[in-house]
Amino acid sequence: MANVKQKLLFRNKDVSTVNSSDGTFRSLEKVGRPNRQTEKVNGLKDRTQDLRKSLNDSLEGDIRDFLINEAELHTYDDLTKVNPVTPSTVLKCLQARYSAKVFYTHAGCTLVALNPFQPIPHLYSLDVMREYHSAPQPQEFKPHIFIVAEEAYRNVQGQVEPINQSLVVSGESGAGKTWTSRCLMKYYATVAASSQKCQDTVQKIERRVLGSNPVMEAFGNACTLRNSNSSRFGKYIQLQLNGSQLLVGASVQTYLLEKTRVAFQAPNERNFHIFYQMMKGATEKQRLEWMLPLEQDFAWLPHAEKTLEEDCLEETVEAMINLGIDEGKRTQIFRILAGLLQLGNVDFSPVSEEAQPCDLDVHSKGFLQKTADLLQVSLDELHSCLTVRTLRAGKQSVLKPCSQSECGIRRDCLAKVIYAQLFDWLVTFINSSMFADNSMWCNFIGLLDVYGFECFHLNNLEQLCINYANEKLQQHFVAHYLKAQQEEYVTEGLQWSFILYQDNQGCLDLIEGSPSSIFSLLNEECRLNRASDAKQFRVRLQKDLSDNASISWDKLGKEPHFTVAHYAGKVSYQIEGMMEKNKDPVPPEIISLLQKSQDSLLHSLFADGDRESEGSRGHSKVVTVVSKFKNSLGSLMKILHSTTPHYTRCIKPNPDCRPLTFKKEEVIAQLEACGIVETINISAAGFPIRIPYGSFLQRYGLIANTRLTAQMNRANSPEMSDQAVLGSAVEDVLNVVLKRRAPNYTLSPDDNNNMVHCGRTKVFLTHSLLEMLEEHRNRVRSQKAFCIQCCWRRHQTRQRNLRTQAATRLQAGVRSWLVRREMKKWHKAASIIQTKWRRWRAWMDALAEAELDDAEDFMEKEASSVLPKLDPLLKERGSVQLSSIQEPVMVRGWPIGLAMASAPSITVSLTATGLQRIMSMMACLKIPFRHGEYKVNTNQFDQGVASIRAQPRGSIKMHLQRSPLLYADMHPVHKTDVVTGFNQILLERT
């Protein structure tokens, strides 16, 4: 509806132009055809007005119908869903979401972030980071800065093709760019360092990447009228990722530090944060070392009584420690900064004669002495450097005293050059501490945080450069999203009607164009060897740039100035002092003084200062501030053009930085300036995803199982390869995906689908269709992976079974061999045992038979002879000897206990000798053996009825006519003090 309205407005303009040519109509009246022509024109005018009125009424009705449900406005998380898209409807939705404490909203291809001006810790916690990082589709979550971060991170992973990413955070000063960049760095340091491999290295890089923020904010941010933590420099941080998308390093590029803030602060503004941190956070020992008494005031520290969240020295020191800055370097840095504060209190008094150098103020001598002590330079040389300048005429040098104003300028120049060199040294040190070798990383994600658009009461060269940088970023946004996107639609054959947008090319031509522009004229004026004249420079600007509609002049103004119409509004720039700031001269006496410093850090900062000072004296080699900034910004834009940008528009809801306060006028001006409404219109009507055919098929060709290589080989002409083969293959893939949504749907080349369009060389997609493609691709990959896993597992199972069978056969063979070998050993051992046993048994049987035969012979001889002659053999084998017989009579087999019990008067002697004698004696007397190493079991107590050498087998019979040993105890009881068995029977009978 808005597009139709704009077309009609342009048509009305043409009609009114025709109608305004009154001379033509009057001439026609003279010819004689006035009535018909007048009626046609009036009729066309009336129809146009009626149509215009009806469209306006219809549009107003649509707006009223949309805004009538105010309770539902905060639910629009994407402004492309708003219908109709007008500044008023967009503003109302943002206001409703801001009142509901919802601060992020999608605006097509960009993200709109409203600054709440109060901390909201739960919105940026680690749990929220992990939730967005682990989500399969983060776009389904609520709008958040982490969605933009995750989208860039997944694009690096190669969703379509790996390419470097850039996140551009833009907005006015105080809109929240610095906080947004800090959240992005925290997010990437968290999700890109979650690996267990090389954990120490990853944590070290993470600490240093996060530690660079507090240090650079302390040295580069300050409190201004529009923001309490305003970035006074621009920075582009590259987070370097390896092939596994792990954070392995980082680098920082800085742009145009506002070093003039060290010596000059506008009303109600402060110096850099680091100076206030030193004053409020230093210990007593540090104050003595830095010569900073608590009660002392400093001219360069205005509004020191104001306390901000950024005034925290401990956080800055901790970050410096994480970056690897040792204690010695930190001490040198703080001493140099303290010296600059002391230098700011040095004032000069005027002199009566011009030939005499200026004297120091009464209270300034002590401050100059402290400055010399802290900077470790000579006091006399420092005083001479500030009050006397050297003029060179050929090879001769002439000393000329400086006026009071010149002394102040040289003092400020000394402070600015020291602080700028110290800031550059910090940036170099940060880069060296966390930069990774080129072989270690392959892609990067860039974070751009630059100063926002500024418009103060007094604006000079710094504001001109800052706003110029914002103009370049706005042009990049316009060229990438608004202009190039629409032109690409037409080139690829899409039916597209152009949406009008604000182009800032005229403003850029005014500032940096060729051959004449503000920058070129300013550089040319600085290269001339003459005194700067603001009025003369204004006249030249009027003469050379009067044709440009983006510049204007106020002729009634007291001070020479010019006004530039930027995309965000008009800004008036003061010409006075602009040429001097652009020259940025550094007297050679200052460089020479600092090179003689005894402080090693300060000396190293100006070690190569001779070459720079020589270059500054040669007028043809002067490099102005504008030239350096333009070149560095040009290199930045080249990086942005070579990456995939992701834009985040930060909006400042109110100019006073009050929490949860929404000012419509402030917000609507920012929305119109950055082209949010046009962006929403183009994003809603267009296709944000554009993929070449080759890349599309390379990623999604597996969905339709296309054999693209064979088709391209059969196609001879390049046209067939590009259009017919690739186009048909892409349509096959899209048909497979779209049929899941609509089974009867078939994509045709002439179909105006609102989700996809196949151009001449690219396929245009919406985010929803891209999600469907990714989902279908993941499903197909899962199926194929499942098939591969099944085949692999089947192969592994077969191989495992074969290995098991082979191992079983080997084990069976080895076990059988081992058993056979063991059985052979057992058979051999058994044979030996049997042989020995049989031999021993035969020997025992022979002994037993011999014993029985000898006993029978002995009884027969005893009966026949009273005093038989003892047989020597029996004498050796006998065991009992009776003392009543003159010749001892052997009674074989009698128990010694029986003999001792039946004949108390009989002396018993053992005729056995050796070990048998000892063992028999100890066994009969039941004397235990030592330690239980030997055990002797007597027949009468343990083994029952038995022979002396062999145990009987089978039944036992009593033969009283035989050996008394046959009458042994059948049930022995282990009692030491009781006589049992046959001995007990004999004792009872007696």
Side-chain angles (χ1 to χ4, degrees):
M1 188 68 68
N3 300 339
V4 175
K5 180 181 177 182
Q6 290 173 350
K7 292 180 181 179
L8 290 175
L9 288 176
F10 280 103
R11 187 181 301 172
N12 295 340
K13 181 179 179 182
D14 296 338
V15 172
S16 62
T17 303
V18 175
N19 192 24
S20 63
S21 56
D22 298 336
T24 306
F25 297 147
R26 292 191 185 97
S27 62
L28 291 175
E29 289 176 0
K30 292 179 181 179
V31 176
R33 294 181 300 173
N35 296 331
R36 180 184 297 179
Q37 190 70 23
T38 304
E39 290 176 358
K40 289 178 65 177
V41 172
N42 293 333
L44 179 62
K45 183 177 180 181
D46 294 339
R47 287 195 301 271
T48 303
Q49 290 179 351
D50 294 340
L51 181 59
R52 182 177 179 181
K53 182 178 180 181
S54 62
L55 288 175
N56 289 335
D57 295 340
S58 177
L59 181 61
E60 291 176 359
D62 293 341
I63 294 175
R64 285 194 301 269
D65 294 340
F66 177 78
L67 298 178
I68 197 171
N69 297 322
E70 293 187 3
E72 299 180 358
L73 293 180
H74 71 279
T75 60
Y76 287 88
D77 55 357
D78 194 340
L79 296 178
T80 57
K81 301 176 183 177
V82 176
N83 188 22
V85 179
T86 63
S88 58
T89 56
V90 171
L91 181 66
K92 279 289 185 180
C93 288
L94 291 177
Q95 185 179 9
R97 292 177 64 82
Y98 192 75
S99 301
K101 295 185 179 182
V102 182
F103 308 108
Y104 291 104
T105 307
H106 290 299
C109 53
T110 62
L111 180 71
V112 177
L114 294 170
N115 194 344
F117 292 113
Q118 67 179 12
I120 307 178
H122 69 274
L123 197 59
Y124 308 97
S125 62
L126 292 177
D127 294 335
V128 176
M129 294 182 188
R130 297 188 184 98
E131 183 180 3
Y132 278 91
H133 179 59
S134 59
Q137 297 296 335
Q139 291 80 8
E140 298 177 356
F141 287 17
K142 294 181 179 179
H144 201 286
I145 188 62
F146 294 157
I147 292 182
V148 180
E150 185 63 24
E151 181 181 359
Y153 184 69
R154 296 190 181 187
N155 285 351
V156 173
Q157 288 180 318
Q159 184 173 349
V160 176
E161 57 181 1
I163 190 171
N164 299 325
Q165 308 290 311
S166 290
L167 284 82
V168 182
V169 183
S170 60
E172 291 192 5
S173 179
K177 300 184 301 300
T178 301
W179 172 257
T180 303
S181 301
R182 192 186 306 171
C183 293
L184 289 171
M185 291 185 65
K186 179 65 176 177
Y187 182 83
Y188 286 125
T190 301
V191 304
S194 58
S195 174
Q196 299 299 327
K197 299 179 180 178
C198 304
Q199 190 67 23
D200 295 338
T201 304
V202 171
Q203 290 180 354
K204 177 182 176 182
I205 295 298
E206 177 186 359
R207 288 195 303 269
R208 294 189 172 183
V209 169
L210 296 179
S212 64
N213 252 344
V215 174
M216 300 191 72
E217 288 184 14
F219 284 83
N221 289 21
C223 177
T224 63
L225 291 174
R226 299 179 62 86
N227 186 8
S228 62
N229 189 30
S230 177
S231 298
R232 309 318 301 161
F233 71 105
K235 63 177 180 291
Y236 183 71
I237 304 174
Q238 283 188 355
L239 302 177
Q240 299 159 350
L241 308 175
N242 61 6
S244 302
Q245 277 67 53
L246 296 180
L247 184 64
V248 296
S251 65
V252 181
Q253 300 178 23
T254 58
Y255 307 95
L256 190 66
L257 174 69
E258 189 188 16
K259 58 184 179 181
T260 56
R261 184 170 291 271
V262 178
F264 173 77
Q265 302 81 35
N268 298 324
E269 293 192 359
R270 300 204 318 174
N271 208 326
F272 291 104
H273 292 323
I274 187 62
F275 295 109
Y276 299 92
Q277 293 177 3
M278 292 173 59
M279 288 297 299
K280 298 179 180 181
T283 62
E284 292 296 331
K285 180 181 178 181
Q286 290 173 337
R287 289 184 181 278
L288 293 175
E289 185 179 0
W290 301 341
M291 302 180 186
L292 297 178
L294 185 61
E295 66 280 358
Q296 184 175 347
D297 295 329
F298 295 95
W300 288 350
L301 283 187
H303 308 288
E305 71 283 354
K306 186 177 180 180
T307 302
L308 300 178
E309 181 184 356
E310 290 77 18
D311 297 341
C312 182
L313 182 63
E314 295 181 357
E315 183 180 357
T316 303
V317 172
E318 183 181 357
M320 295 172 75
I321 294 174
N322 291 333
L323 289 172
I325 302 177
D326 55 27
E327 185 177 359
K329 291 294 183 184
R330 295 198 303 271
T331 302
Q332 290 177 322
I333 291 172
F334 290 127
R335 285 179 60 88
I336 293 173
L337 295 176
L340 297 184
L341 291 179
Q342 300 290 346
L343 181 63
N345 285 355
V346 175
D347 291 324
F348 302 91
S349 59
V351 293
S352 57
E353 298 181 4
E354 295 182 359
Q356 296 297 326
C358 290
D359 295 330
L360 292 175
D361 192 77
V362 178
H363 304 287
S364 299
K365 295 182 179 180
F367 295 125
L368 190 65
Q369 179 65 50
K370 291 181 180 180
T371 302
D373 295 339
L374 291 170
L375 299 181
Q376 297 187 22
V377 296
S378 172
L379 176 62
D380 297 335
E381 292 184 3
L382 177 60
H383 183 270
S384 176
C385 176
L386 297 177
T387 57
V388 179
R389 61 175 176 171
T390 303
L391 300 178
R392 295 185 179 181
K395 296 182 179 180
Q396 296 180 355
S397 298
V398 179
L399 299 179
K400 180 181 179 181
C402 299
S403 63
Q404 182 181 9
S405 60
E406 291 176 344
C407 291
I409 293 175
R410 294 171 75 88
R411 176 202 59 197
D412 296 347
C413 180
L414 175 61
K416 290 187 294 183
V417 71
I418 292 177
Y419 193 84
Q421 290 294 327
L422 183 61
F423 185 82
D424 293 340
W425 179 88
L426 277 173
V427 174
T428 304
F429 188 91
I430 290 173
N431 286 332
S432 63
S433 66
M434 58 185 187
F435 185 79
D437 188 73
N438 293 333
S439 60
M440 296 178 60
W441 62 278
C442 54
N443 295 103
F444 68 85
I445 298 177
L447 305 179
L448 180 61
D449 177 21
V450 296
Y451 8 61
F453 185 83
E454 293 183 349
C455 180
F456 299 126
H457 180 67
L458 294 177
N459 304 283
N460 210 286
L461 183 64
E462 295 85 2
Q463 282 68 42
L464 179 61
C465 293
I466 288 172
N467 295 337
Y468 163 65
N470 283 272
E471 290 283 354
K472 293 289 287 186
L473 292 178
Q474 178 66 15
Q475 186 200 34
H476 179 264
F477 174 77
V478 168
H480 187 270
Y481 281 117
L482 304 182
K483 183 179 181 180
Q485 191 168 341
Q486 297 188 86
E487 290 179 352
E488 189 175 18
Y489 291 158
V490 177
T491 304
E492 291 290 332
L494 276 75
Q495 296 181 2
W496 183 263
S497 58
F498 275 88
I499 297 175
L500 299 179
Y501 55 88
Q502 181 182 359
D503 194 354
N504 64 338
Q505 187 60 46
C507 182
L508 286 174
D509 292 339
L510 171 68
I511 298 175
E512 64 168 3
S514 179
S516 294
S517 63
I518 296 176
F519 281 174
S520 63
L521 296 177
L522 189 60
N523 289 334
E524 184 177 348
E525 188 72 20
C526 292
R527 291 189 178 97
L528 298 176
N529 189 12
R530 63 183 181 187
S532 301
D533 189 349
K535 293 183 179 180
Q536 183 178 358
F537 184 69
R538 175 186 170 180
V539 171
R540 189 170 184 187
L541 288 176
Q542 289 178 336
K543 178 181 177 181
D544 294 348
L545 303 176
S546 58
D547 296 337
N548 196 305
S550 299
I551 190 171
S552 60
W553 295 269
D554 183 9
K555 298 181 180 180
L556 300 179
K558 296 180 181 180
E559 297 293 335
H561 68 278
F562 60 91
T563 302
V564 178
H566 293 283
Y567 76 95
K570 293 184 178 182
V571 181
S572 295
Y573 297 98
Q574 185 180 9
I575 301 178
E576 189 67 37
M578 187 174 288
M579 279 75 74
E580 291 298 327
K581 290 183 178 180
N582 190 35
K583 293 178 183 178
D584 193 22
V586 180
E589 298 86 4
I590 292 179
I591 302 297
S592 177
L593 172 69
L594 297 175
Q595 287 177 344
K596 298 177 183 179
S597 173
Q598 299 300 317
D599 187 285
S600 59
L601 177 59
L602 188 59
H603 175 78
S604 64
L605 296 180
F606 299 92
D608 55 350
D610 290 336
R611 294 189 299 272
E612 295 180 1
S613 60
E614 290 176 2
S616 64
R617 288 192 299 269
H619 301 289
S620 60
K621 299 180 181 180
V622 170
V623 180
T624 61
V625 172
V626 165
S627 299
K628 291 189 291 186
F629 183 69
K630 182 179 177 181
N631 294 333
S632 60
L633 194 60
S635 62
L636 173 63
M637 299 310 298
K638 288 182 180 179
I639 296 176
L640 293 180
H641 283 295
S642 64
T643 61
T644 299
H646 303 265
Y647 270 87
T648 301
R649 293 289 191 180
C650 296
I651 303 296
K652 191 176 182 179
N654 63 86
D656 302 324
C657 301
R658 291 198 301 267
L660 300 178
T661 303
F662 193 91
K663 293 294 184 67
K664 296 181 180 180
E665 299 80 5
E666 184 80 9
V667 176
I668 196 67
Q670 298 176 60
L671 294 178
E672 293 177 350
C674 59
I676 289 294
V677 177
E678 292 85 355
T679 304
I680 296 171
N681 284 323
I682 294 176
S683 299
F687 301 93
I689 310 299
R690 301 176 295 277
I691 309 173
Y693 282 160
S695 300
F696 182 87
L697 292 174
Q698 185 178 3
R699 183 167 182 83
Y700 303 109
L702 55 89
I703 294 178
N705 290 325
T706 58
R707 300 191 176 275
L708 181 61
T709 305
Q711 295 181 8
M712 293 185 67
N713 291 335
R714 288 194 296 269
N716 297 324
S717 62
E719 292 78 13
M720 289 294 294
S721 299
D722 291 340
Q723 184 65 25
V725 179
L726 294 179
S728 61
V730 169
E731 291 178 3
D732 293 341
V733 173
L734 294 174
N735 284 326
V736 172
V737 177
L738 293 174
K739 281 182 180 180
R740 292 186 61 88
R741 185 168 177 243
N744 298 326
Y745 180 81
T746 302
L747 183 67
S748 61
D750 299 331
D751 188 11
N752 293 327
N753 194 297
N754 58 354
M755 297 179 64
V756 60
H757 181 85
C758 295
R760 294 185 175 90
T761 60
K762 295 181 181 179
V763 56
F764 296 83
L765 309 169
T766 60
H767 283 290
S768 58
L769 185 58
L770 181 66
E771 293 175 2
M772 294 172 59
L773 282 168
E774 286 294 324
E775 182 181 357
H776 200 102
R777 178 177 179 269
N778 293 333
R779 188 183 303 110
V780 172
R781 292 183 67 189
S782 298
Q783 294 174 357
K784 295 183 181 300
F786 180 74
C787 294
I788 294 173
Q789 289 175 354
C790 291
C791 296
W792 175 247
R793 288 169 181 166
R794 182 169 61 248
H795 171 73
Q796 282 187 323
T797 303
R798 290 176 179 175
Q799 294 297 321
R800 191 182 301 113
N801 292 335
L802 292 176
R803 289 194 297 268
T804 303
Q805 293 175 4
T808 303
R809 292 193 185 98
L810 290 174
Q811 291 175 357
V814 171
R815 286 170 181 166
S816 62
W817 177 79
L818 291 175
V819 170
R820 285 194 299 270
R821 188 181 67 173
E822 195 69 21
M823 290 299 296
K824 288 181 181 179
K825 291 181 180 180
W826 289 354
H827 283 300
K828 184 177 180 180
S831 300
I832 295 174
I833 292 172
Q834 289 176 355
T835 302
K836 297 294 183 182
W837 170 255
R838 292 189 185 103
R839 186 179 302 167
W840 179 79
R841 185 59 182 264
W843 183 54
M844 288 291 107
D845 292 343
L847 291 179
E849 291 177 359
E851 180 181 354
L852 295 176
D853 293 341
D854 292 341
E856 293 177 355
D857 295 342
F858 177 74
M859 294 296 295
E860 291 177 356
K861 291 180 181 180
E862 186 180 17
S864 60
S865 177
V866 182
L867 295 173
K869 188 178 181 180
L870 295 176
D871 189 0
L873 180 61
L874 295 177
K875 189 175 182 180
E876 294 179 0
R877 298 180 183 177
S879 59
V880 180
Q881 186 176 12
L882 300 178
S883 59
S884 60
I885 306 176
Q886 295 179 357
E887 183 70 15
V889 178
M890 299 301 251
V891 183
R892 170 166 293 278
W894 278 46
I896 298 177
L898 179 61
M900 295 175 65
S902 60
S905 60
I906 299 175
T907 302
V908 180
S909 63
L910 297 177
T911 60
T913 60
L915 180 62
Q916 184 179 4
R917 173 187 175 92
I918 299 172
M919 294 179 64
S920 299
M921 189 62 172
M922 296 178 69
C924 294
L925 299 178
K926 296 185 179 180
I927 300 174
F929 291 94
R930 191 186 317 171
H931 305 301
E933 296 178 358
Y934 301 97
K935 184 177 181 182
V936 179
N937 296 324
T938 57
N939 293 332
Q940 64 270 30
F941 294 107
D942 298 327
Q943 302 298 335
V945 179
S947 175
I948 294 178
R949 288 180 174 84
Q951 297 181 3
R953 295 186 180 182
S955 60
I956 302 175
K957 297 180 180 181
M958 302 297 292
H959 298 285
L960 299 178
Q961 297 179 355
R962 300 291 180 109
S963 172
L965 292 177
L966 298 175
Y967 303 98
D969 189 6
M970 297 298 296
H971 302 283
V973 180
H974 297 284
K975 297 180 180 179
T976 58
D977 55 348
V978 180
V979 180
T980 59
F982 190 61
N983 295 340
Q984 183 178 5
I985 297 173
L986 294 177
L987 290 175
E988 289 177 354
R989 289 182 179 180
T990 58

